[in-house]
Each structure stands twice: as structure tokens, then as C-alpha cells.
Amino acid sequence: MLVYTALLSPQLDASLRYSPQNQVIASSRHSDIKRNKFKPYLVSAANATVDYTGVGAGDVTDDSAVLWTRTSDPTTNQGVATHLTALISTDPSFKSVLITVAGTTNADRDYTLKLYVNKLKSGIKYYYKFKTDDGVFSPVGTFKTAPAPNQKTPVHFGFSGDADGQWRPYGSTQDFTKLNLDYFVWLGDTIYETASAISAVTADPFTNPTQALIDYHRKYREQFEPVTPNGFPGLTDFFAAEGHYTLLDNHETGNKQFQSGGAPVGSPAGQGVDGTNPSDDVNTTGTYINKTDGFKTLIQAYSDYQPIREKTISAPNDPRTDGTQKLYYAQQWGANSIFINLDDRSYRDVRLKTAAGADDTGPRADNPNRTMLGATQLKWFKQTLLDTQKKRIPWKIIAVSSPIDEIGGDGGKSWIGGYRAERNEIMKFIADNHIDNVVFITTDDHQNRINELTYLANPNDPTSKTVVPHAFSIVAGPIGAGGPDAITDHSFTNIKSLTDQLVANEISQGLNPIGLDPKYPGLRNVYREEDPDADALRQPVDFYSPDTFNYVILDISKDGNTLAVNTYGINSYAANTFPELDKVGPVRHILGFEVTAASSKHASSR
């Protein structure tokens, strides 16, 4: 292994703060420094005192960011406490270092470090790396700060989620060092707690939270490691290539009792209720899963390994929310868009179950008091939408970890499957307040699909179903997880046949079929691989890819008038086969389209 170091500029600014209680993790036995293209100076590997798992940046604003890494002993691969200095520059060669900020990794956070960097300039691409006191450098990472709110500028960002270790090393991410994204939304299920052929299942956080923390840390570390020596380094490059916004979903929370943070603690305390008792459909007990040791353990592991800010909410009138870690926020990206990150795991009511243990998606799901977001977050979300419309920000990008389209997917954990009243309330609010150009982005269903959004204009009248104007949902992914691998015939003919069967089933159930209406306002330039007539026909298959591992890139034009949506990915492969890049082929363009923004004139005419 070669380790790179550099002579530093004497003009170092140490004015930025380090918060020791907010350290975060990274890990890996594979620092893969040889992959780093910035190599100003070399020192012998024999002098290396630490190895770096990887580097990451996240929760970027127009003047700040969170930087993250983890240190380990290069001989034993065990975590090691290390004092580090982060160097920040606008120059990839670091000839001029603008800012430095320091901190120390420690065992309490699995030898990870999270540093908050302030006093950055808006709309700038920054480079960063970490340095030990004896001169061992990490790989270089990069991020962009958000443009100033009054700056009309194009925005280029992506999203996906669902990285199950059975599908490592995630060849769908092979091009991230080339994408030059402004940011990426890492949309939940960033690890899976389940076993793979090369990784054991995690301990139950309810019965053994101490071991669970160790095991979840291990699962996060594995995401940065190659499967074979000198192989593709998992999500290492993916993390370093751009700033991330990250969402919590059900696999970070064990996919059992802790996936519904607003549910009652159950008996024994902390185990959670099973969802079969209607008296628990709305939590009025005053006790919440999100306050238990098991839930807090899982949130700690998640926070340790993601470059996210750690803030505590004060909401004394909302015990469901008060004292919890704040994982929802909004960040404007220039004059043309705002990114809104919702937390639909920490406060949601229990997942409904029938006596037989199946998801109950019947009338219980229409209870108007059931919530995913909790009262405090829902109020904040509505006000954010109103403020955004008032500011005439054209595009509202809203991230949710559970699908919100009418198909809903995966039964009771989706909005339409188990939390219909709150979903309808949100859709009606958007429509009634003429909030235009709303795009919900999500993953979780392990397929790529685009849908318009329906709601009941009169919640008491099932015949009042209509489409939310100028709004749609995009489901992306997975990066690598089960579902797409069940489809081994990747021909367009087969995918169209599967799509047509899905559409027929949807229509028979009275659902709005998958895809955008061919006459969706402003729709143009529809593309689907192997469908030369995509823009002319605009059929459901042109908006659907159930057989690939993929991500979606969105581009907002400089004038704010156009949103381009494009899906890129690779064909799925079988679990526990762990193919290297030469076995999965290059990432390709799967589908895409453009939409013209609805103007305020359009909104006022409705």
C-alpha cells in the first residue's frame, strides 16, 4: 500500500470548531488510497500508523458541511484512536489549504470522527482529506456547497438506496467518481441487518443492545470493503465522490419492532406491540419505541456511520417527538429548487397486522389519527411547502424513505398501505394550496418507477379521487438488493410484458396505472432503452424498470423551467455471487424524460 502526503500551506485557518460529542464513524480494512488520483507526495507504507475506512461529507448547506472518516490499525484492522486534522481546499492538489479543523476518533463511536466545517462559501466545489499528526493522509473526498438562495444555477443531483450485503460490492455505483453531482440523496436501507454468505446476522437490539451495536457497526464497515483482494471497494468511492443527504429506513432499525418509532413500547417494555390490536393503531400510551434503549442503539450506529448532523428536538407539547434526534430538514439549492428531507420512521404509528400476521391494509389504515411524521414534523413540513411556494422556488424535491404513490408497494409499511389518511391530507394540502412542481423521491420497493399521485379531494367520498396537479413520484433503486434478481430475462419484450400485466392488475383495482400520462403537462423527450417509439407512445414500460440495480439523476435547468429525470444502472444478478465489475458490465442509460415547470400563472388559473 502507498500512502500519500503533502507539504501544507503555512496559511492554515484553525477557526472552525470540533464537537467531540458528535464524532462519527467510517470503517474498513481497505483504505484503497492507491485509487486516489491526487498524489502530490509519497511516503513509505512502513511509516503508516493508521488506515482509513473511507471519507464522506454530508448535510451540506450554503456555508457548512459535515466531514467523516474512521481510523484503524493497518496491521490488525482493529479500530484505533487517532488525532486527525481535516484539510479543506478548493484545489484538488491542496496547494492552498483554506480551512483546517481537528478532532480525535475514539472507541465510543467505533473510532469514527465527524467534524462540522463552517464559514464556507456558497456554490463552491471543495476538496478535503484527513491527516494524522505524523503525516498519514486519507483519500481525498469532495462536496459542493449549496448555491445562494438568489442564484439562478443548474442543479445536478441523484438518489437511490437499498444496499443489501448479499449484493456487494455494488457495481451499480462504479461511475460515481465521474458524475460530478452537486449532491446525492442516500435514501435509506444503507445497510441490511440480515446475513449474507460472508457476513453474519446482527444481534437483536431488544434482547442484546450491546452486541447489536457491535454488529451494526460491522455491517456499516463492510459497505466500504472489497469482497475480493484489490477488488471494487464497495461504497468507498460512492461516499467520497459528492456530499450526501441520508435517510433512515427500516433496515437501519432492524426491520422489526424498531421500524415504527412512534409505536407503543409494548410488553416487555421496549419489545413493541405486534400491531394486531386496534387499540394500538394510534399510540395514546405516552410511551414510544423511539425512547427505548434498543431504538437509541440503532440510531447511534446509523449516526456513527453517516455524515449527518446530530441535533435534538425540543417539542414539549409533542412527547412523541420531544427529545428525539432531528433527522428532517430543508435545504434550498439556489433560486430554482429546495430539497426537503423527511423522517418517516422515527415517529410513525405501529405497522398494522391481521390476526394471521399479514399486513392489515383495510379500514384500520384510514384512521385519521394515525401518523407517519408526527404532529411536529407534519406542521413543519406544511409550513415549509407554503414558504417555498411563497418564495416562488420552482422545484420542490421531497425525500421519503417509504413510497408515497398509490401503488405503495410492500403492504403495510407504505403510506397508501397503512397510513392513508395522513397521506391524503398531505396530497390535498399540496393541491389545495396550488403547490406546483412537487417531486417525491424514494426507494424501498426495489424497482424503478415513475407515478403520478392521486388523492381524495373529499376524504369522505371514495369517488372523488383525482390527480395532484404538477406532481409525481419517483421510486429508484436498489443499489443492490433482492427483487430485481428474480427477473433473469432482461429483454425489452419481457419487461414490457411484465409491465402490461402490472397495469392490467392496477386498472382492475381502480388504481391509476404506472407511469406518467402521455399528456402530462410539459412532458417531452421520453426515452426508454430498446423502445425507439418511447416519446411517441409514452406507455407505462417507458417509466418502469423492475429488473435492474439503478440510481436516478435529476437535472434542473439554469432558468428553472425544466427538470430532466434519467435512470442509470446495470442488470441485476443473483444474491451472494459478489461479482466484480468485469462481470456486471458498464452502467447504462435505462430511461428518462423531461418536464417543463408549471408557472405561477398556471397555478393561479386552477
Side-chain angles (χ1 to χ4, degrees):
M1 181 181 72
L2 295 178
V3 180
Y4 306 102
T5 186
L7 299 179
L8 302 180
S9 164
Q11 300 174 353
L12 299 181
D13 181 351
S15 64
L16 299 185
R17 69 176 183 274
Y18 159 67
S19 180
Q21 70 272 23
N22 286 333
Q23 297 180 29
V24 181
I25 311 178
S27 88
S28 142
R29 32 198 295 188
H30 178 79
S31 65
D32 201 47
I33 295 180
K34 288 187 290 185
R35 296 178 57 85
N36 197 307
K37 64 182 179 181
F38 308 116
K39 311 174 183 178
Y41 298 92
L42 305 181
V43 297
S44 169
N47 295 331
T49 54
V50 301
D51 198 2
Y52 293 88
T53 296
V55 299
D59 281 9
V60 180
T61 70
D62 57 357
D63 65 358
S64 68
V66 179
L67 304 183
W68 163 94
T69 193
R70 180 184 186 265
T71 52
S72 61
D73 185 302
T75 303
T76 66
N77 298 320
Q78 300 299 310
V80 58
T82 311
H83 184 264
L84 298 173
T85 300
L87 314 178
I88 297 93
S89 177
T90 56
D91 176 8
S93 68
F94 290 85
K95 291 180 180 178
S96 175
V97 175
L98 304 177
I99 298 169
T100 67
V101 58
T104 303
T105 68
N106 66 59
D108 289 344
R109 303 298 293 262
D110 198 33
Y111 304 99
T112 64
L113 180 65
K114 187 183 291 184
L115 299 176
Y116 297 94
V117 183
N118 302 312
K119 300 183 180 179
L120 302 173
K121 294 182 179 180
S122 64
I124 299 293
K125 184 171 185 176
Y126 286 94
Y127 300 87
Y128 66 94
K129 59 183 175 181
F130 295 87
K131 169 185 173 293
T132 66
D133 291 347
D134 54 354
V136 179
F137 281 74
S138 74
V140 174
T142 186
F143 65 89
K144 294 181 181 178
T145 48
N150 62 351
Q151 184 179 358
K152 282 189 169 292
T153 183
V155 184
H156 174 61
F157 63 101
F159 73 97
S160 193
D162 300 291
D164 185 337
Q166 296 181 87
W167 283 269
R168 291 168 57 198
Y170 311 118
S172 61
T173 68
Q174 62 187 270
D175 286 344
F176 270 73
T177 56
K178 307 173 186 176
L179 298 180
N180 195 30
L181 297 175
D182 292 334
Y183 63 89
F184 190 86
V185 187
W186 192 209
L187 257 160
D189 290 345
T190 57
I191 55 100
Y192 276 58
E193 80 290 351
T194 49
S196 74
I198 56 176
S199 176
V201 67
T202 60
D204 187 330
F206 169 68
T207 58
N208 193 347
T210 300
Q211 185 60 46
L213 182 60
I214 294 171
D215 290 344
Y216 275 78
H217 280 156
R218 168 175 56 84
K219 289 290 188 180
Y220 284 106
R221 287 198 302 272
E222 289 169 355
Q223 300 291 55
F224 295 89
E225 298 173 358
V227 176
T228 58
N230 299 314
F232 187 67
L235 299 180
T236 301
D237 294 342
F238 167 76
F239 261 67
E242 66 281 312
H244 284 198
Y245 299 108
T246 309
L247 274 71
L248 182 74
D249 202 16
N250 54 303
H251 285 288
E252 291 91 352
T253 50
N255 203 31
K256 292 182 180 178
Q257 59 269 31
F258 298 113
Q259 67 176 284
S260 301
V265 298
S267 180
Q271 188 173 22
V273 293
D274 62 12
T276 64
N277 188 347
S279 65
D280 292 321
D281 291 359
V282 176
N283 187 2
T284 59
T285 66
T287 63
Y288 303 93
I289 283 288
N290 61 26
K291 306 298 178 67
T292 64
D293 290 341
F295 186 89
K296 292 177 181 178
T297 294
L298 299 180
I299 296 300
Q300 179 184 335
Y302 171 76
S303 298
D304 288 346
Y305 275 87
Q306 305 298 335
I308 60 173
R309 300 174 192 272
E310 298 181 31
K311 297 181 179 180
T312 301
I313 300 172
S314 176
N317 295 323
D318 180 8
R320 183 187 298 251
T321 305
D322 189 43
T324 59
Q325 185 167 322
K326 188 175 186 290
L327 298 174
Y328 61 88
Y329 50 86
Q331 177 59 50
Q332 188 171 340
W333 272 78
N336 296 327
S337 71
I338 186 169
F339 170 67
I340 302 173
N341 202 43
L342 297 182
D343 175 8
D344 62 22
R345 282 291 169 190
S346 297
Y347 312 110
R348 68 164 66 191
D349 279 310
V350 68
R351 185 172 179 174
L352 304 178
K353 296 290 184 179
T354 66
D359 281 325
D360 189 343
T361 59
R364 291 169 64 193
D366 292 315
N367 189 323
N369 296 314
R370 279 177 56 75
T371 183
M372 265 202 186
L373 302 182
T376 299
Q377 184 180 190
L378 180 60
K379 179 180 179 180
W380 168 87
F381 178 40
K382 289 180 176 179
Q383 189 59 54
T384 299
L385 289 174
L386 291 175
D387 293 345
T388 299
Q389 190 71 359
K390 184 177 180 180
K391 294 176 183 177
R392 296 182 179 272
I393 301 171
W395 294 100
K396 297 85 177 173
I397 310 299
I398 305 167
V400 289
S401 63
S402 297
I404 201 166
D405 55 348
E406 191 174 12
I407 292 177
D410 210 3
K413 72 177 181 180
S414 73
W415 292 77
I416 199 70
Y419 306 83
R420 285 195 289 269
E422 185 171 84
R423 177 196 178 278
N424 201 76
E425 179 182 353
I426 291 170
M427 296 303 157
K428 190 174 187 304
F429 181 87
I430 290 171
D432 289 351
N433 288 281
H434 309 302
I435 299 170
D436 291 290
N437 310 316
V438 173
V439 181
F440 284 89
I441 61 174
T442 189
T443 54
D444 203 44
D445 274 1
H446 301 189
Q447 59 179 234
N448 175 218
R449 68 174 185 259
I450 292 91
N451 269 343
E452 292 181 73
L453 296 164
T454 55
Y455 76 108
L456 298 179
N458 180 351
N460 298 315
D461 181 5
T463 68
S464 67
K465 183 186 292 186
T466 188
V467 173
V468 182
H470 305 292
F472 58 91
S473 167
I474 310 171
V475 178
I479 289 290
D485 59 314
I487 303 172
T488 56
D489 180 356
H490 301 283
S491 68
F492 179 76
T493 299
N494 183 53
I495 302 307
K496 184 177 185 306
S497 175
L498 295 174
T499 307
D500 291 344
Q501 293 173 40
L502 172 62
V503 168
N505 183 54
E506 291 171 339
I507 292 174
S508 71
Q509 299 180 60
L511 302 178
N512 194 46
I514 198 169
L516 298 184
D517 188 293
K519 296 182 179 179
Y520 186 93
L523 178 64
R524 63 178 187 268
N525 295 333
V526 177
Y527 167 82
R528 178 62 159 87
E529 60 177 351
E530 299 186 60
D531 184 6
D533 298 320
D535 194 41
L537 297 177
R538 301 178 179 183
Q539 56 191 328
V541 69
D542 298 325
F543 303 92
Y544 187 49
S545 178
D547 63 319
T548 58
F549 297 151
N550 61 75
Y551 56 87
V552 173
I553 289 180
L554 295 90
D555 285 281
I556 296 171
S557 62
K558 183 176 180 179
D559 59 11
N561 288 337
T562 303
L563 172 71
V565 177
N566 289 286
T567 298
Y568 299 88
I570 59 175
N571 287 344
S572 59
Y573 48 84
N576 295 309
T577 56
F578 310 117
E580 292 295 335
L581 299 188
D582 61 334
K583 303 298 184 182
V584 302
V587 170
R588 66 185 194 275
H589 188 196
I590 298 170
L591 60 84
F593 59 92
E594 294 180 1
V595 173
T596 302
S599 67
S600 57
K601 178 180 179 181
H602 294 146
S604 62
S605 66
R606 288 209 301 269

